[in-house]
């Protein structure tokens, strides 16, 4: 039996979404600790991209949709993407 393929959820830097908002997304949606969320957010800020987590495809897609919805509701252009692991 083959394991299901896993996908990285990538956060993309946009120069408009606040750092605090990105940390909150990472804590609330991706279930990261505040310390890990801060580290990931700084990686996104410095490198333009960061890995929010690695999940089965359906869970990764659901987390991307939730992050996009929360960002849209708050008026931020935050974008996430999926990439096979």
């Amino acid at each position: 039996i083959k394991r299901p393929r896993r996908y990285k959820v990538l956060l993309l830097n946009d120069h408009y979404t606040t750092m605090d908002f990105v940390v909150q997304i990472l804590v609330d949606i991706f279930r990261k600790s505040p310390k890990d969320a801060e580290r990931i957010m700084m990686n996104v800020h410095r490198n333009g991209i960061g890995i929010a987590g690695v999940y089965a495809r359906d869970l990764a897609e659901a987390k991307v949709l939730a992050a996009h919805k929360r960002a849209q509701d708050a008026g931020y252009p935050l974008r996430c993407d999926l990439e096979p692991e």
Side-chain angles (χ1 to χ4, degrees):
I1 296 176
K2 216 175 172 184
R3 283 186 81 168
R5 191 169 203 181
R6 294 173 50 88
Y7 289 80
K8 294 185 272 188
V9 176
L10 305 173
L11 289 177
L12 309 174
N13 190 22
D14 58 44
H15 301 292
Y16 295 99
T17 305
T18 65
M19 293 179 180
D20 289 338
F21 185 80
V22 173
V23 168
Q24 201 58 52
I25 289 287
L26 288 163
V27 169
D28 293 347
I29 295 174
F30 295 96
R31 303 293 183 216
K32 301 298 180 187
S33 70
K35 184 177 178 179
D36 285 343
E38 182 82 17
R39 181 184 49 76
I40 294 166
M41 178 277 297
M42 288 307 297
N43 191 47
V44 172
H45 179 69
R46 290 185 183 125
N47 301 315
I49 195 166
I51 299 172
V54 180
Y55 310 95
R57 185 179 187 117
D58 56 341
L59 184 55
E61 288 173 344
K63 288 185 179 287
V64 167
L65 288 174
H68 286 170
K69 172 81 168 99
R70 175 93 57 95
Q72 182 181 17
D73 290 349
Y76 291 116
L78 177 72
R79 302 305 313 154
C80 301
D81 202 1
L82 294 180
E83 179 179 283
E85 186 177 41

